[in-house]
Amino acid sequence: METPATTLSLIDDLVSQLGQGAVQWGEAIDARYQADWSGAPPVRPLALVHPAHPGEVATALRICHAHRVPVVPLGGLTGLAGGAMPQENAVALSLERLNAIEQVDTAAATLTVQAGVTLQAAQEAAQAAGLLLGVDLGARGSCQIGGNLATNAGGNGVVQFGMMREQALGLEVVLADGTVLNMLRPMLKNNTGYDLKQWFIGSEGTLGVITRAVLKLHPAPRARVSALVALPDYASAIRLLRLLQAHFPGALAAFELMWEDFYATSLRWSQLASPLPQAYPFMVLAEVTGRDQALLTDSLQTALGEAMDQGIVLDAVVAQSQAQALSLWRIREATAEFPTHLVPINFDVSLPIDQIGDFAEQCVSALTARWPDQRTLRFGHLGDGNLHLTTDARSLGASLTPEQAAHEVEEMVYALLAQRGGSISAEHGIGLHKKPYLQASRTPAELAAMRAIKLALDPLNLLNPGKIFDLTQQDPKATP
Amino acid sequence: METPATTLSLIDDLVSQLGQGAVQWGEAIDARYQADWSGAPPVRPLALVHPAHPGEVATALRICHAHRVPVVPLGGLTGLAGGAMPQENAVALSLERLNAIEQVDTAAATLTVQAGVTLQAAQEAAQAAGLLLGVDLGARGSCQIGGNLATNAGGNGVVQFGMMREQALGLEVVLADGTVLNMLRPMLKNNTGYDLKQWFIGSEGTLGVITRAVLKLHPAPRARVSALVALPDYASAIRLLRLLQAHFPGALAAFELMWEDFYATSLRWSQLASPLPQAYPFMVLAEVTGRDQALLTDSLQTALGEAMDQGIVLDAVVAQSQAQALSLWRIREATAEFPTHLVPINFDVSLPIDQIGDFAEQCVSALTARWPDQRTLRFGHLGDGNLHLTTDARSLGASLTPEQAAHEVEEMVYALLAQRGGSISAEHGIGLHKKPYLQASRTPAELAAMRAIKLALDPLNLLNPGKIFDLTQQDPKATP
């Protein structure tokens, strides 16, 4: 297909301002820029731009704005909701060359990075200064700080340090027309008018492109102890959570709940023996941080002993070495094996914590009523009220394509969720894939307010258009 | 003065929808609704409306919107920046009858309250459930949760639990036209499109009226120990902060720095003897929380001993009883005596923490060069990077009125602050009084973005107009 003249004119402008090496188009665009981890089929963008520094991001956006061409910002492309999926009619703007760690300020406990720095590189820079970045997640080696902020990433540390939003002290953001908002202030407290940076965090690149960030760091804990804990029922998991939070205020670093379906499957896949002699309805992997490994191990044993006396805990193993801790964590990290063993239909929902147990049961009952052979694994960051459910599309029978299966399971689960006022996305975002269901979690008045804000900051709808919501008043599909 | 017909028609509509008892006008408006704690002269509003529940707030706003009459929301009126000052041409909307504590959910550790609940009532409701609300401040008995959220209040607990923003899980907000945004979701994680509630927190009632909130609670600590610590210099204060954060991860509950000028003045006013035998350049009041009073006291003594060995700390007293802790805190709480002993010109600034010592010196040098007898007290929430400076207007000589004195000191301090990229308001907000200086802390592009958002959500500029910024592109006064 021949490149249209309007596109060539845009490319000319981009090349003349950013240089030949910073712009690709047509077949020169490498496949890795054409898809994210969401499983959506690849899309070749109109052009791919690789700015070398934040100022070039502003230049690229100004040029695209002048040509009225939409722009899709690309971070590490590890998103599961399709928020960074390229579009045929849009320029893809890769942030990966903005990979400078600009400052680690030990006195202030802050880290200033460009948007394309990977989460892992940021973590390592903090660590080298004896500090800790509060967010961690499986894609750490590929995902980028800009994308983590744009999607308000969650992950493993939320129960202790909050989401990515809570780590952000300052941002630099470029608006659709190339205007630079310099909000790179490192202060913890700053009540000078609207806290603009909050609008961009979690807006999935639809309001502005994040180019730099100042992140808050925490003192690195000197000790860290994990335990695997067996529980009789869901209510005991909440009681254990509160007991550990009271025993280790501010120091409970993880509280991961696994239903028996998840736990047994994980052991089967890994061919590991359970560290506990029998099966239990629920298992929790908990981690606490402190100053002294031996003292902390003792304290955790004491706390779990107390929980056992109260009947909350049936059995427990406290890791006595880092190797043992890793082997416990391996059970939880079976999620990385999902694509190998399943055709996964994934959910990332949140609910008031006391409803999660019932809701998980209700989902499995409804799925089983419809598909007696259905296989669903349940697990979650219980400390954050975040439940993950993964149904194997193949367990629903051969009569459905994986797409049909996903669609039907989603309709069922989100309808049950909407009845309880839950959230269809606790941490993964909406992107493209959850857009049809957004109304299950947001009222029409909220959606109208989002659209008003989008139009105020990006009146031509050029930034990542069609992600999260469409600008028409009616979403394409009504909620069940 | 006769009430104009347009106003009578508005009052008729308000009375017919809300009832006679919910609407006052003219001389019937009690003086306490005509001013806040900022010291600005009282202003009688067009009318005063007292809705009895959130639905009536929407009704009142709908009526005022139909009449194109502006509305100023009133919380506890304890603000220091004039953000809730009534206006002659606007209806004042008091939230005080929205004082129901709707739910304390112990399992979820959440508190649902209406906006007019005082901070203290909310704290007590949390406490009765064995939980803790993370925000505390001196005005707790009068200030209201809605106002705390609208101004993103700070106070004493920020170093441990963050500002009011960090406590907010869900909000209900009424827009200028009466549209209700129901965002009362109690989930810790909810990445379903823009996190709308963030826009209203800290927007000082200019974007919407907060009517209900779901707040996050924390486990109540069983032990709490305070210490007063003497330091040789400012750099040692930062080192002590980091040392205590490392010793007590997540459990450092206060870290209040007092310069010698503040400390000596406080002792003189209270006629208390210093708990330490001599004077020192800097004093810190630190507080840590934990599980066991005796163990925690020991740990704090150990940590301070370590700091003394490193030369960071010159002397220290660790409170051995609650009475002793209170007497230490009394020194810090001399701020309540400011209006009695001074004609205070107050600053509430934030800066990168490593610059605060130099900046405080620089301000005092500049003030002394101009007014050799100037008297300034310096103190702050150092754990949050928040410096308070208070200059006694009377110490600047009799040739200036207090207003002129305030103006000249403000010009001087904010000019020095702007050079360092500091914030003119760490926690008190902008309101009316800091509006002329907003450009010292925000770029023109940021102010333009704020105005665009204001117009998107309140196109007729009816909600608390003229607070924070004016809608004209040029603020009335350029920054020094």
Side-chain angles (χ1 to χ4, degrees):
Chain A
M1 200 183 80
E2 215 171 314
T3 310
T6 51
T7 305
L8 289 175
S9 150
L10 166 71
I11 289 171
D12 272 357
D13 284 357
L14 289 168
V15 167
S16 81
Q17 293 294 313
L18 304 176
Q20 193 87 46
V23 188
Q24 280 101 49
W25 64 97
E27 295 186 357
I29 298 175
D30 193 284
R32 72 193 170 97
Y33 300 104
Q34 302 186 24
D36 63 8
W37 290 11
S38 70
V43 176
R44 187 196 286 167
L46 200 63
L48 173 70
V49 182
H50 274 102
H53 56 77
E56 287 191 355
V57 174
T59 303
L61 285 167
R62 211 161 34 237
I63 293 168
C64 292
H65 186 261
H67 286 266
R68 303 294 190 258
V69 170
V71 173
V72 177
L74 311 186
L77 290 163
T78 62
L80 299 175
M85 274 302 294
Q87 297 173 24
E88 277 178 18
N89 66 340
V91 167
L93 177 74
S94 167
L95 280 302
E96 69 188 347
R97 287 171 73 196
L98 275 68
N99 61 358
I101 290 176
E102 298 192 342
Q103 195 194 18
V104 188
D105 183 333
T106 312
T110 59
L111 174 67
T112 306
V113 295
Q114 294 182 352
V117 167
T118 63
L119 176 59
Q120 189 171 331
Q123 289 170 335
E124 287 168 359
Q127 207 171 5
L131 295 164
L132 178 79
L133 179 57
V135 161
D136 183 39
L137 47 96
R140 67 185 72 80
S142 305
C143 65
Q144 297 171 6
I145 295 294
N148 295 151
L149 286 161
T151 58
N152 188 27
N156 303 331
V158 179
V159 68
Q160 190 168 25
F161 297 119
M163 311 277 284
M164 201 64 191
R165 183 183 301 280
E166 278 75 46
Q167 322 308 316
L169 295 174
L171 295 184
E172 181 184 78
V173 171
V174 185
L175 300 180
D177 64 0
T179 301
V180 178
L181 292 183
N182 177 349
M183 309 170 286
L184 274 177
R185 300 181 187 88
M187 287 87 78
L188 294 170
K189 292 162 86 167
N190 186 12
N191 276 348
T192 48
Y194 307 161
D195 190 0
L196 299 182
K197 68 175 181 289
Q198 304 293 348
W199 305 343
F200 301 98
I201 298 169
S203 70
E204 303 189 28
T206 62
L207 297 179
V209 178
I210 296 168
T211 47
R212 278 192 179 100
V214 186
L215 304 175
K216 188 196 307 185
L217 300 178
H218 305 273
R222 303 187 195 175
R224 194 177 276 276
V225 180
S226 298
L228 184 70
V229 188
L231 307 168
D233 49 35
Y234 179 80
S236 296
I238 300 183
R239 289 176 64 198
L240 179 63
L241 172 66
R242 300 307 173 205
L243 185 146
L244 291 178
Q245 284 178 325
H247 263 266
F248 303 93
L252 179 65
F255 194 87
E256 300 291 310
L257 183 65
M258 297 172 273
W259 274 250
E260 198 186 0
D261 44 46
F262 178 92
Y263 185 76
T265 303
S266 170
L267 291 177
R268 200 171 62 246
W269 287 350
S270 62
Q271 301 186 306
L272 289 172
S274 172
L276 294 174
Q278 60 170 97
Y280 296 97
F282 291 88
M283 302 294 278
V284 161
L285 187 57
E287 188 174 81
V288 292
T289 56
R291 272 178 60 73
D292 180 286
Q293 197 71 21
L295 285 179
L296 188 65
T297 307
D298 277 1
S299 301
L300 184 54
Q301 264 154 350
T302 305
L304 292 173
E306 214 176 272
M308 218 172 279
D309 292 344
Q310 293 177 27
I312 301 173
V313 163
L314 299 177
D315 200 357
V317 52
V318 175
Q320 301 297 326
S321 66
Q322 215 193 332
Q324 204 184 349
L326 282 175
S327 77
L328 298 182
W329 274 95
R330 210 162 298 137
I331 301 171
R332 172 62 179 78
E333 283 161 6
T335 47
E337 303 292 314
F338 280 4
T340 316
H341 294 276
L342 309 171
V343 177
I345 306 170
N346 292 318
F347 294 93
D348 161 42
V349 304
S350 67
L351 285 155
I353 195 168
D354 60 344
Q355 293 193 37
I356 288 180
D358 284 349
F359 174 74
E361 281 312 301
Q362 192 182 16
C363 287
V364 164
S365 299
L367 289 164
T368 305
R370 172 84 190 276
W371 298 285
D373 296 328
Q374 73 78 29
R375 193 152 55 110
T376 298
L377 308 181
R378 292 169 291 175
F379 57 104
H381 311 294
L382 191 68
D384 323 325
N386 185 179
L387 171 69
H388 292 295
L389 288 161
T390 296
T391 299
D392 185 359
R394 293 173 318 186
S395 69
L396 308 184
S399 65
L400 295 173
T401 66
E403 291 69 31
Q404 287 169 330
H407 176 77
E408 297 210 12
V409 174
E410 283 167 359
E411 294 275 336
M412 183 178 280
V413 169
Y414 290 139
L416 294 171
L417 188 73
Q419 288 166 15
R420 293 172 181 266
S423 161
I424 63 164
S425 174
E427 56 181 17
H428 295 170
I430 298 301
L432 284 175
H433 299 324
K434 295 188 192 162
K435 195 166 73 164
Y437 301 101
L438 185 55
Q439 291 178 69
S441 288
R442 293 291 193 177
T443 62
E446 286 177 286
L447 295 172
M450 289 186 204
R451 290 188 175 101
I453 295 291
K454 167 72 174 171
L455 283 171
L457 292 180
D458 178 16
L460 302 176
N461 193 23
L462 293 178
L463 269 180
N464 215 8
K467 305 293 169 63
I468 306 180
F469 51 76
D470 291 309
L471 269 180
T472 50
Q473 283 300 313
Q474 281 302 311
D475 275 355
K477 187 169 142 186
T479 321
Chain B
M1 199 183 83
E2 218 172 309
T3 311
T6 51
T7 305
L8 289 176
S9 150
L10 166 71
I11 289 170
D12 272 357
D13 284 358
L14 288 168
V15 167
S16 81
Q17 293 294 312
L18 305 174
Q20 193 89 45
V23 188
Q24 280 100 50
W25 64 99
E27 294 185 359
I29 298 175
D30 193 284
R32 71 193 171 97
Y33 300 104
Q34 303 186 26
D36 63 8
W37 291 11
S38 70
V43 176
R44 187 196 286 166
L46 199 63
L48 173 70
V49 182
H50 275 102
H53 55 77
E56 287 191 355
V57 173
T59 303
L61 284 168
R62 209 161 35 238
I63 293 168
C64 292
H65 187 262
H67 286 265
R68 303 293 190 258
V69 170
V71 174
V72 177
L74 311 186
L77 290 163
T78 63
L80 299 175
M85 274 301 294
Q87 297 173 25
E88 278 179 18
N89 67 340
V91 166
L93 177 74
S94 166
L95 279 304
E96 69 188 346
R97 287 171 74 197
L98 274 69
N99 62 357
I101 290 175
E102 298 191 342
Q103 195 193 18
V104 189
D105 184 332
T106 313
T110 59
L111 174 67
T112 306
V113 294
Q114 293 182 353
V117 167
T118 64
L119 176 58
Q120 190 172 329
Q123 289 171 336
E124 287 168 0
Q127 208 171 3
L131 295 164
L132 178 79
L133 179 57
V135 161
D136 184 38
L137 46 96
R140 66 184 74 77
S142 305
C143 65
Q144 297 171 6
I145 295 294
N148 295 150
L149 287 161
T151 58
N152 188 26
N156 303 331
V158 179
V159 68
Q160 190 168 24
F161 297 120
M163 310 277 285
M164 201 64 191
R165 182 182 301 280
E166 279 75 48
Q167 322 309 315
L169 295 174
L171 296 185
E172 180 184 79
V173 171
V174 186
L175 299 180
D177 65 359
T179 301
V180 178
L181 293 184
N182 178 348
M183 309 170 286
L184 275 176
R185 302 181 187 86
M187 286 87 78
L188 294 170
K189 293 162 85 169
N190 185 13
N191 277 348
T192 48
Y194 307 162
D195 190 359
L196 298 183
K197 68 175 180 289
Q198 304 293 347
W199 306 344
F200 300 99
I201 298 169
S203 70
E204 304 190 27
T206 63
L207 297 179
V209 179
I210 296 169
T211 47
R212 275 192 180 104
V214 186
L215 303 175
K216 190 198 305 187
L217 300 177
H218 305 272
R222 303 186 196 176
R224 193 177 278 275
V225 180
S226 298
L228 183 70
V229 188
L231 308 169
D233 49 34
Y234 180 80
S236 296
I238 299 182
R239 289 176 64 199
L240 179 63
L241 172 66
R242 300 308 172 205
L243 184 146
L244 291 178
Q245 284 177 326
H247 263 266
F248 302 95
L252 179 65
F255 194 88
E256 299 292 309
L257 183 65
M258 296 172 271
W259 275 251
E260 197 186 1
D261 44 45
F262 178 92
Y263 186 75
T265 303
S266 170
L267 292 178
R268 200 171 61 246
W269 289 350
S270 63
Q271 301 186 306
L272 289 173
S274 171
L276 295 175
Q278 60 170 95
Y280 296 97
F282 291 88
M283 302 294 279
V284 160
L285 187 56
E287 189 173 81
V288 292
T289 55
R291 272 178 60 74
D292 181 286
Q293 196 71 22
L295 285 179
L296 188 65
T297 307
D298 278 0
S299 301
L300 184 54
Q301 264 154 350
T302 305
L304 292 173
E306 213 176 274
M308 217 172 279
D309 293 344
Q310 294 176 26
I312 302 173
V313 164
L314 299 178
D315 200 355
V317 51
V318 175
Q320 300 297 327
S321 66
Q322 215 193 332
Q324 204 184 350
L326 282 175
S327 77
L328 298 182
W329 273 96
R330 210 163 296 136
I331 301 171
R332 172 63 179 80
E333 282 162 6
T335 47
E337 303 292 314
F338 281 4
T340 315
H341 295 276
L342 309 171
V343 177
I345 306 169
N346 293 319
F347 293 92
D348 160 43
V349 305
S350 67
L351 285 154
I353 195 167
D354 60 345
Q355 293 193 37
I356 287 180
D358 283 349
F359 174 74
E361 281 313 300
Q362 192 183 16
C363 287
V364 165
S365 300
L367 289 164
T368 306
R370 173 85 190 276
W371 297 286
D373 297 329
Q374 73 79 28
R375 194 154 53 110
T376 297
L377 309 181
R378 292 168 290 176
F379 58 103
H381 311 292
L382 191 70
D384 322 326
N386 184 179
L387 171 69
H388 291 295
L389 287 162
T390 296
T391 299
D392 186 359
R394 293 174 319 188
S395 69
L396 308 184
S399 65
L400 294 173
T401 65
E403 291 69 31
Q404 287 168 331
H407 177 76
E408 297 209 10
V409 175
E410 284 167 359
E411 293 276 335
M412 184 179 279
V413 169
Y414 291 139
L416 293 172
L417 188 73
Q419 288 165 15
R420 293 172 182 267
S423 161
I424 63 164
S425 175
E427 55 182 17
H428 295 170
I430 298 302
L432 284 175
H433 299 325
K434 295 190 191 159
K435 196 167 73 163
Y437 301 101
L438 186 55
Q439 291 178 66
S441 288
R442 293 291 193 177
T443 62
E446 286 177 285
L447 294 172
M450 290 187 204
R451 291 189 175 99
I453 295 291
K454 168 72 175 170
L455 284 170
L457 292 180
D458 178 17
L460 301 176
N461 193 25
L462 293 179
L463 268 181
N464 215 7
K467 305 294 169 63
I468 306 179
F469 50 76
D470 292 309
L471 268 180
T472 51
Q473 283 300 312
Q474 281 301 309
D475 275 356
K477 187 168 141 189
T479 321

